[in-house]
Amino acid sequence: MKNSDSNGANINSSGGISMNHLWQQNASILSLAAVLIALVAVGTLVSSSFFSLENFKVILLAVAGTTVVALGMTLVIISGEIDLSVAGTAVLSGIVGATLFDTGSAFVVVSAVLAVGLLLGFLNGLLVVWIGIPSLIATLAMLGIARALANTVSSGQAAYPDNLPGYLWLGRGEVWGVPVPILTLLLAAILAIILTRYTAFGVKLYATGGNAAAATLSGIRTGQVKVVTFMICGVLAAVAGILESARLSYINPAAYPGMELRVLAITVLGGAALAGGSGTILGTLLAAMIIGVINSLLNQLGVSIYLQQVVTALIILAVVVPGIRQRQVAK
């Protein structure tokens, strides 16, 4: 029987951790760190202002929302599933929150947004676990449903939280000079690391994704693990929606086009295997920074936004397509 520990390392039949798997995981993290350092070195050579606190703050702000979602996607992929509905979740939860802007209460709006994210995550889990629809199809359908509902609720119009300074602070505020979105990302990452490495749920998560049949025989309720994981992902997508709409001071039902692919690319680039049972939060963070630094470099070089989108698309193809094939083979 093969199982997994909280770090995603395979556990053999005698209960020993596969040192080969641990080495591969650490090598992946070191490789990502080396790529990031090399990109920063290139950026420093290209522009004297690249290696500065202010520039790194800009990079982190640019990737904060997407990375928060990628943390949730990492958990879902470790469980052996996938969630393509994250952009729809971020939009619909934000639009529902926008209907409460007139209450003047940021707490009410944020609570409603998080509740919608939690509900959509639960529905994804329901479709996948209890009805048995493959997560690729179920969450893709949820993406379309959520976007359609967002357009229906808002009549296709954008909403502006200008009368909610507490809400806007979540996207524009600072604590001791550190932007709130960056602090939110750090908090979410720390909680995700604790969840995956130091809790019983983390052990069950890796075991479920590594070998669901064996995990079930071990007494793990794999369906319950997957539903909870989808719910966490839904909440994190809603958090990203709050951060972005507060930072930009508006929410649009057509917002976040292609977010699900960018998030998927970050997650897979970070070392998560689409077949499940493997992946780390640290890898996802490093991958997000690599994408952010590449985009910053392209800006420094004066590359147009359209060509930047082409580069991002090529990265997605290079990273995600092999992972999709790996998942198909594994299934």
Side-chain angles (χ1 to χ4, degrees):
M1 171 183 167
K2 186 176 75 172
N3 208 332
S4 301
D5 79 336
S6 60
N7 296 314
N10 293 335
I11 299 176
N12 57 35
S13 57
S14 62
I17 296 174
S18 167
M19 296 307 296
N20 182 53
H21 189 91
L22 278 176
W23 164 250
Q24 289 178 353
Q25 194 171 69
N26 290 331
S28 174
I29 295 294
L30 290 174
S31 297
L32 289 170
V35 169
L36 181 58
I37 292 171
L39 287 171
V40 171
V42 171
T44 305
L45 292 174
V46 170
S47 171
S48 58
S49 62
F50 187 88
F51 194 80
S52 65
L53 186 61
E54 192 60 34
N55 190 44
F56 285 119
K57 186 187 290 186
V58 170
I59 293 173
L60 280 170
L61 269 176
V63 302
T66 305
T67 309
V68 167
V69 184
L71 298 178
M73 181 74 87
T74 301
L75 300 179
V76 172
I77 287 180
I78 291 173
S79 77
E81 302 296 343
I82 196 169
D83 188 350
L84 297 180
S85 69
V86 288
T89 300
V91 167
L92 179 57
S93 57
I95 289 296
V96 171
T99 63
L100 300 171
F101 283 170
D102 289 340
T103 64
S105 170
F107 177 78
V108 170
V109 173
V110 170
S111 298
V113 171
L114 296 181
V116 173
L118 190 70
L119 175 62
L120 291 180
F122 175 75
L123 292 176
N124 279 330
L126 182 71
L127 292 173
V128 173
V129 175
W130 287 320
I131 300 182
I133 302 174
S135 56
L136 191 70
I137 298 172
T139 58
L140 192 59
M142 186 62 73
L143 170 66
I145 292 171
R147 282 203 175 278
L149 288 176
N151 274 294
T152 302
V153 172
S154 66
S155 300
Q157 302 298 312
Y160 304 88
D162 295 333
N163 61 337
L164 290 172
Y167 188 86
L168 294 175
W169 179 82
L170 295 172
R172 301 178 174 185
E174 293 187 352
V175 177
W176 298 316
V178 182
V180 173
I182 296 177
L183 290 174
T184 304
L185 169 60
L186 292 175
L187 177 61
I190 290 171
L191 291 176
I193 289 173
I194 292 173
L195 180 72
T196 53
R197 293 178 65 91
Y198 303 110
T199 68
F201 182 83
V203 175
K204 295 176 182 177
L205 180 66
Y206 281 104
T208 297
N211 190 328
T216 301
L217 289 174
S218 301
I220 295 174
R221 296 181 178 179
T222 56
Q224 190 179 73
V225 170
K226 290 183 179 183
V227 171
V228 171
T229 306
F230 274 115
M231 292 170 73
I232 294 173
C233 189
V235 169
L236 289 176
V239 169
I242 292 171
L243 297 180
E244 291 299 309
S245 59
R247 183 170 68 90
L248 300 173
S249 190
Y250 80 97
I251 176 69
N252 186 324
Y256 322 128
M259 171 193 269
E260 61 279 358
L261 292 181
R262 292 193 298 277
V263 168
L264 195 57
I266 290 172
T267 307
V268 177
L269 180 62
L274 288 176
S278 180
T280 63
I281 298 302
L282 181 57
T284 297
L285 292 174
L286 287 170
M289 279 302 297
I290 287 173
I291 298 292
V293 168
I294 288 175
N295 287 335
S296 179
L297 259 174
L298 294 175
N299 279 327
Q300 299 273 354
L301 293 171
V303 177
S304 74
I305 185 66
Y306 304 110
L307 285 178
Q308 289 185 36
Q309 291 173 355
V310 171
V311 172
T312 303
L314 290 175
I315 293 174
I316 290 172
L317 285 174
V319 171
V320 174
V321 172
I324 293 287
R325 289 179 177 171
Q326 177 194 30
R327 178 186 175 87
Q328 290 172 339
V329 170
K331 295 293 183 185

